Structure formats: C-alpha cells, structure tokens
Amino acid sequence: MAIWAKIKQLNLKQTFILGKTFLFRPGLLFPTYRATRQTVQICNRLFGKAHHKNNKTNAFRHALWNFLIAEKSFPQLNEKTKAIAWAKEITDLHEKLSPNPELPRTMDLHNNEVGRSLFQQEITSKKIIEKLQEMMKEAQFVNQVAEIPNYPERLVYIESLKN
C-alpha cells in the first residue's frame, strides 16, 4: 500500500474529507503518516505482499496500524483516550474512503479495535510486534459478519494465507 498512490486515487469529495480532517488537527498529519509508513514497512518486511489479502497478516497490519497511530499521536494529544479516538477516527475514515464489501470491512474495523485495545493496555512499541505475532497464532477464521463479535480480543481473518 503506497500511501501517496492511495491518496491520488481519491476523488475530489474524498480528498476534501481527508483534507478537512487534518485541517482541524494539522499536528496529527505527520504522526499519522509516520505510523502508516512504519506499519507498511514492517508488514512488507515480515510478510511481503501477503498482508494485502484478507488473511492473518492483514489482521496483524490493521491492529499494528491503529496501535502505532495512537502511539505516535499521543505526544501531541497528551491523553490516551484522545490518541485512541484519533486512531479510530482516521482508520474509520480510511474504511469509508476506500470501501470494501461488508465482511472485509467489518473484519478490518474489528482488527483496528484490537490494535487500539492493545495500546490502551500499555504494551510497549518494542513488544507490540511480538504480541501481534503471538495473536496471529490464535487468530480466528470467520466467514460471516455475525461471527466477528464473538472474538472481541482476537484477530479475525477471512482468507487463508494460501490465497
């Protein structure tokens, strides 16, 4: 996921929505960008292109992304609840601007929440990769939206790594 390539794909309305989001919080632009870039770099290094599918590596990426956005925006916001709310706002916006079918979107939103929950638990950035790799071993395969709420503390995925 090349960040600028994704931004270039936005239509005028989507670009306006994204710009407006950062207009009122300009200090969060660079921390959010750095978190996004770091997430992609880590996932590329660990998983190659596999994290672009709806598998366990994608679940890892979404959780890590939310954790890192919250972590990197925390110094600017000075409150964990605000950093978590920002991570939710920006990643929910991502899901809105680049919509998926219902099952992959719900999966992404769920894994985003897992990442924010880990940030709230005060796991260090040095331990988050190890923690998420452990969580991948217990990730739950789902094939219906209704199943996802049954796994509030676990990563979920909808495709095997072979796809």
Side-chain angles (χ1 to χ4, degrees):
M1 167 173 80
I3 300 164
W4 293 117
K6 286 279 191 189
I7 291 172
K8 285 188 214 177
Q9 292 175 351
L10 299 176
N11 64 35
L12 185 59
K13 180 179 177 184
Q14 292 169 322
T15 303
F16 177 77
I17 291 168
L18 183 62
K20 184 176 147 189
T21 301
F22 284 106
L23 179 66
F24 297 109
R25 296 175 197 90
L28 296 176
L29 177 63
F30 289 113
T32 302
Y33 174 78
R34 283 192 298 274
T36 303
R37 197 174 94 219
Q38 184 179 1
T39 298
V40 172
Q41 288 171 343
I42 289 168
C43 291
N44 284 345
R45 180 174 43 87
L46 293 174
F47 310 120
K49 294 181 180 185
H51 67 96
H52 296 290
K53 305 240 182 212
N54 291 315
N55 55 39
K56 291 179 183 183
T57 64
N58 178 273
F60 175 103
R61 186 185 80 216
H62 277 267
L64 179 64
W65 187 35
N66 276 261
F67 180 94
L68 291 176
I69 290 172
E71 179 185 65
K72 294 191 180 308
S73 65
F74 176 72
Q76 178 82 18
L77 296 168
N78 295 317
E79 288 182 34
K80 278 197 155 205
T81 56
K82 288 181 179 180
I84 290 166
W86 172 250
K88 179 175 178 18
E89 180 178 346
I90 202 69
T91 57
D92 284 0
L93 180 62
H94 166 75
E95 294 303 324
K96 180 180 176 183
L97 295 179
S98 54
N100 280 324
E102 184 180 16
L103 181 58
R105 181 181 65 248
T106 305
M107 175 195 71
D108 289 348
L109 291 169
H110 171 86
N111 292 322
N112 291 348
E113 176 62 33
V114 169
R116 293 188 302 268
S117 175
L118 291 171
F119 177 74
Q120 188 147 11
Q121 294 173 27
E122 300 192 20
I123 294 172
T124 66
S125 59
K126 292 183 183 204
K127 295 284 185 184
I128 191 60
I129 293 171
E130 182 180 309
K131 174 70 174 171
L132 288 171
Q133 287 175 320
E134 284 298 313
M135 290 179 76
M136 284 175 63
K137 295 174 186 175
E138 302 295 322
Q140 181 64 45
F141 173 80
V142 296
N143 58 21
Q144 295 179 26
V145 169
E147 294 176 80
I148 294 174
N150 296 331
Y151 307 101
E153 302 294 321
R154 291 172 66 180
L155 297 173
V156 298
Y157 65 101
I158 60 176
E159 293 179 12
S160 70
L161 286 172
K162 294 175 187 174
N163 288 341

